[in-house]
Amino acid sequence: MNCEHFVTKLKYGKPMSDQVKSVVNSALIAAQILQFIGKHPKPGDLIEFQRVGYQHWAIYMGDGDVVHLTDQDGKSSISSVMNSSAVVRKDPLEKVAEKDNYRVNNKYDEKRKPLPTEKVLRAALEKVGKRMKYNITTENCEHFVTQLRNGRSFSDQVKNVMTHVTAVATVLLSAFAVFMFIKPITYISLPAIAWRRLLK
C-alpha cells in the first residue's frame, strides 16, 4: 500500500492507485515491445529456432526470408550429419520455423562486432544453392550464420554439449578409478581378516 492507497481509502473507503496501474501498464507494454522485436527481425539478424534437443540457426534477409545451412528439403540441419554435407537455402522464415518458437539472437555481437549488414546479406546470397561440408562440431548451421554475421564461427550449443560430455566422462573415470582402487584393497584385506580369525 502506498500513500495514494492510504488517502483514497480515507476519502472513498477503497484503496486505489493510478501509479500502480501505470507501472503495470508500462510493464505490459514493454513486454509486448520485446515480443514484437523478437518476432520482427531486421536484415542481418541471427534467428534461433528452438528444435527438440537442439537449436537451428538462420540469418534474416528481409521480406520474411532467411538463409540457412540445412538439408535438401530445408527441414533440418541435423539430417545433414549422415551425409556430412548440407545445402544453403533461402526459405520463408515461417516455413523454417513451422510450429517451433524462434527469436532474434545476436548474442555473439558481444564477442565480435558484426560486419556491415550489406556485406552480410551479399555473402549469404552468394552461398544460396551451394552444397557445403557439414560437421556437427565444427561446421554446423550456427557456425555458418555466425561466420556470415560476425566474420568468425561460433557455436555455444556445441561448446555446451562438449562441456556436458566432459563432465560425464570425468565422473565415469573417477568412479572407475575409485572402483579399481577399492578392489585391490578388498582382495588384500580379506586374507588378513581371515588370518586374524584363525589366530583367535
Side-chain angles (χ1 to χ4, degrees), residues 56-76:
H56 182 61
W57 290 78
I59 195 150
Y60 188 70
M61 302 301 291
D63 298 323
D65 291 327
V66 294
V67 166
H68 58 136
L69 184 65
T70 184
D71 63 9
Q72 192 63 45
D73 299 323
K75 297 287 183 187
S76 165

Side-chain angles (χ1 to χ4, degrees), residues 102-126:
Y102 64 88
R103 64 176 179 153
V104 171
N105 191 351
N106 297 319
K107 64 180 178 178
Y108 298 108
D109 290 359
E110 296 172 7
K111 294 181 181 180
R112 194 170 174 97
K113 187 179 176 183
L115 299 171
T117 303
E118 286 181 19
K119 185 175 181 179
V120 172
L121 300 180
R122 193 180 323 112
L125 284 174
E126 285 172 0

Side-chain angles (χ1 to χ4, degrees), residues 19-35:
Q19 295 175 57
V20 173
K21 283 181 187 174
S22 177
V23 169
V24 170
N25 287 339
S26 296
L28 290 172
I29 290 167
Q32 288 171 349
I33 289 169
L34 285 172
Q35 187 178 14

Side-chain angles (χ1 to χ4, degrees):
M1 180 179 270
N2 62 27
C3 57
E4 191 177 6
H5 285 119
F6 175 73
V7 294
T8 53
K9 185 172 183 180
L10 288 175
K11 183 166 183 170
Y12 303 108
K14 181 180 176 184
M16 295 178 283
S17 177
D18 285 341
Q19 295 175 57
V20 173
K21 283 181 187 174
S22 177
V23 169
V24 170
N25 287 339
S26 296
L28 290 172
I29 290 167
Q32 288 171 349
I33 289 169
L34 285 172
Q35 187 178 14
F36 178 83
I37 291 169
K39 291 286 184 179
H40 294 83
K42 301 183 298 297
D45 280 343
L46 298 187
I47 309 296
E48 178 186 17
F49 300 90
Q50 293 298 321
R51 304 294 200 221
V52 177
Y54 73 102
Q55 294 84 42
H56 182 61
W57 290 78
I59 195 150
Y60 188 70
M61 302 301 291
D63 298 323
D65 291 327
V66 294
V67 166
H68 58 136
L69 184 65
T70 184
D71 63 9
Q72 192 63 45
D73 299 323
K75 297 287 183 187
S76 165
S77 54
I78 288 295
S79 61
S80 303
V81 174
M82 303 301 288
N83 301 323
S84 298
S85 70
V87 66
V88 179
R89 289 178 52 108
K90 183 179 178 186
D91 290 305
L93 185 150
E94 294 300 331
K95 181 185 174 188
V96 176
E98 292 184 335
K99 294 180 181 177
D100 294 329
N101 290 326
Y102 64 88
R103 64 176 179 153
V104 171
N105 191 351
N106 297 319
K107 64 180 178 178
Y108 298 108
D109 290 359
E110 296 172 7
K111 294 181 181 180
R112 194 170 174 97
K113 187 179 176 183
L115 299 171
T117 303
E118 286 181 19
K119 185 175 181 179
V120 172
L121 300 180
R122 193 180 323 112
L125 284 174
E126 285 172 0
K127 293 189 182 300
V128 171
K130 291 185 179 177
R131 184 160 287 281
M132 300 182 70
K133 185 178 175 186
Y134 187 91
N135 183 303
I136 198 165
T137 58
T138 58
E139 295 170 292
N140 64 34
C141 58
E142 189 175 4
H143 289 115
F144 173 72
V145 296
T146 53
Q147 180 69 50
L148 287 172
R149 180 177 172 85
N150 303 99
R152 183 176 168 193
S153 61
F154 297 98
S155 182
D156 277 353
Q157 60 184 327
V158 168
K159 192 165 73 175
N160 292 340
V161 167
M162 295 307 286
T163 301
H164 287 99
V165 168
T166 303
V168 169
T170 302
V171 169
L172 291 175
L173 284 171
S174 299
F176 180 73
V178 168
F179 175 75
M180 293 307 290
F181 178 73
I182 290 172
K183 193 174 175 184
I185 290 174
T186 306
Y187 287 140
I188 292 165
S189 300
L190 283 176
I193 292 166
W195 183 253
R196 281 193 211 108
R197 285 183 184 165
L198 284 171
L199 291 174
K200 283 184 178 180

